[in-house]
Amino acid sequence: MDWKLEGSAWGTESHVLPGQEGIHEDAGEEGVSESFQLLQIDVECESPVRGALPTGAASWCSKNVQRKQKHWEKIIASKRSKRKQERERRKAGRAADTGICPQHSKRFLRALTRERLLEARHSGPRLCIDLSMTNHMSKKELSRLAGQIRRLYGSNKKADKPFWICLSGFTTDSPLYEECVRMNDGFSSYVLDTTEEDCFTLFPLETLVYLTPDSEHALEDVDLNKVYVLGGLVDESVQKKVTFRKAQEHAVQTARLPIQEYMVRRQNGRNYHSEILTINQVFDILSTYFETHNWPEALKKGVCSRKGYALPNPGA
């Protein structure tokens, strides 16, 4: 700034035309003032180029950039809103399933579920899934069985009166274990027992009740002193009486669900009727009956219409 002042103010003296000396001398301080004003104007004109952008830097963006920025902000806000709504929906759903007030945290609900499952080890009914027949199953059948185990465990978590579950004949180096880990998120944290032992050596034989559709005896009640065994078998070739023969070999009591006693056959296009259910469907029936002591309501929970059976009164 000082350098410009010298060049502007003092440089004007060396270029005064002849006959104008008086004019320059009369100008005096007024001429210097005018020079300062010119310098001030010059500096103000150059500042936007040489200095930093003004505080309202957004005004320097083009309209196209501003439009894209606003559009992106709308997308972000929309995603945040959807995520919040989804969290609220899940929170309300968990509260409805467990009967807990929605203000409880996920950690609290998980701890409560775990505590309820652990209590079933001492006071609840016991269910054993016999997995000793999986050696000859295909990978597709093993995958289906792993999915059934996941659904069974999920139903047990939601139950007000859960069963204590044991997976017998289950080894960590088996293809079924690999499928369970692959398909079931958090399988290693499931609150249940796993053992390589066979169910017939694990429990006293007089306490076992092997549930099989080929049994002659209908299950009447759920006894806390019994261990109910489900055959973990997914057989697409539909070999008959596999679980029934296995129970007979060990002289174990058998029972079937009372489908014939409480349900009737319905005509369908394929004329198909079957009492063979998946292990998670059988468990849903047992769990519902243990809570309600109502066989029609329990059977309606697990026996789908595709099996060709229905309750005598559809509204029941």
Side-chain angles (χ1 to χ4, degrees):
M1 183 69 71
D2 295 336
W3 182 82
K4 282 189 176 183
L5 178 60
E6 293 174 4
S8 299
W10 296 100
T12 51
E13 285 189 20
S14 60
H15 293 86
V16 178
L17 295 177
Q20 294 185 345
E21 295 86 349
I23 297 175
H24 176 69
E25 293 174 356
D26 294 338
E29 296 180 357
E30 183 178 355
V32 176
S33 177
E34 290 179 357
S35 298
F36 274 112
Q37 292 177 0
L38 291 174
L39 288 172
Q40 184 179 2
I41 295 173
D42 183 59
V43 171
E44 290 177 352
C45 292
E46 290 181 356
S47 63
V49 179
R50 296 181 180 179
L53 291 174
T55 55
S59 61
W60 291 84
C61 300
S62 65
K63 292 183 178 180
N64 188 36
V65 172
Q66 294 181 23
R67 180 179 58 80
K68 290 182 177 180
Q69 180 68 20
K70 290 180 179 180
H71 178 67
W72 178 250
E73 290 175 353
K74 288 181 180 180
I75 293 177
I76 297 297
S78 177
K79 288 183 177 180
R80 288 176 178 172
S81 177
K82 289 181 179 179
R83 284 196 296 266
K84 183 178 180 181
Q85 292 176 2
E86 181 65 16
R87 286 195 300 269
E88 294 295 331
R89 186 188 67 79
R90 292 179 180 177
K91 193 174 182 180
R94 288 193 302 269
D97 291 338
T98 60
I100 303 299
C101 297
Q103 66 266 19
H104 291 299
S105 65
K106 293 181 180 179
R107 180 178 297 180
F108 175 83
L109 294 176
R110 285 195 297 265
L112 186 65
T113 299
R114 181 179 179 84
E115 181 181 353
R116 194 168 66 249
L117 291 174
L118 290 175
E119 286 179 359
R121 172 181 282 176
H122 306 288
S123 59
R126 291 173 291 176
L127 180 78
C128 178
I129 303 176
D130 180 11
L131 300 175
S132 62
M133 299 173 286
T134 60
N135 294 334
H136 303 290
M137 291 170 57
S138 66
K139 185 175 181 180
K140 180 180 178 181
E141 292 169 342
L142 291 174
S143 297
R144 291 177 57 188
L145 179 57
Q148 293 174 19
I149 293 173
R150 180 187 68 246
R151 289 188 286 272
L152 185 152
Y153 182 74
S155 296
N156 197 44
K157 284 174 58 179
K158 297 177 182 178
D160 293 333
K161 300 177 180 179
F163 281 60
W164 180 250
I165 299 174
C166 175
L167 306 181
S168 66
F170 188 59
T171 59
T172 56
D173 58 350
S174 64
L176 176 60
Y177 179 82
E178 295 178 359
E179 285 299 301
C180 286
V181 173
R182 183 182 68 86
M183 296 185 61
N184 305 344
D185 186 25
F187 177 77
S188 58
S189 301
Y190 279 11
V191 184
L192 46 72
D193 282 335
T194 61
T195 177
E196 297 181 4
E197 291 188 64
D198 192 278
C199 62
F200 302 106
T201 58
L202 186 63
F203 302 101
L205 295 181
E206 63 272 14
T207 64
L208 296 180
V209 179
Y210 212 116
L211 298 177
T212 169
D214 301 306
S215 176
E216 298 178 354
H217 307 286
L219 184 66
E220 297 180 358
D221 200 0
V222 175
D223 189 349
L224 293 178
N225 297 318
K226 298 293 185 179
V227 179
Y228 296 93
V229 183
L230 297 179
L233 177 65
V234 176
D235 183 14
E236 294 187 348
S237 64
V238 193
Q239 299 181 33
K240 295 184 178 180
K241 298 188 176 182
V242 175
T243 55
F244 180 70
R245 287 196 298 267
K246 188 172 184 180
Q248 281 188 323
E249 290 174 2
H250 295 84
V252 167
Q253 179 184 352
T254 63
R256 59 175 171 80
L257 295 175
I259 296 177
Q260 300 174 12
E261 284 71 17
Y262 292 93
M263 306 186 84
V264 296
R265 292 191 174 193
R266 294 295 186 189
Q267 295 295 328
N268 52 62
R270 297 185 300 165
N271 194 27
Y272 172 77
H273 302 86
S274 175
E275 297 181 36
I276 300 176
L277 305 175
T278 62
I279 60 172
N280 58 290
Q281 289 173 333
V282 176
F283 176 77
D284 286 343
I285 294 173
L286 289 177
S287 178
T288 303
Y289 174 78
F290 186 64
E291 292 184 3
T292 63
H293 294 282
N294 185 317
W295 277 118
E297 183 177 345
L299 292 169
K300 182 173 63 175
K301 182 74 175 291
V303 181
C304 60
S305 59
R306 295 192 302 271
K307 295 296 181 179
Y309 286 90
L311 295 172
N313 179 9

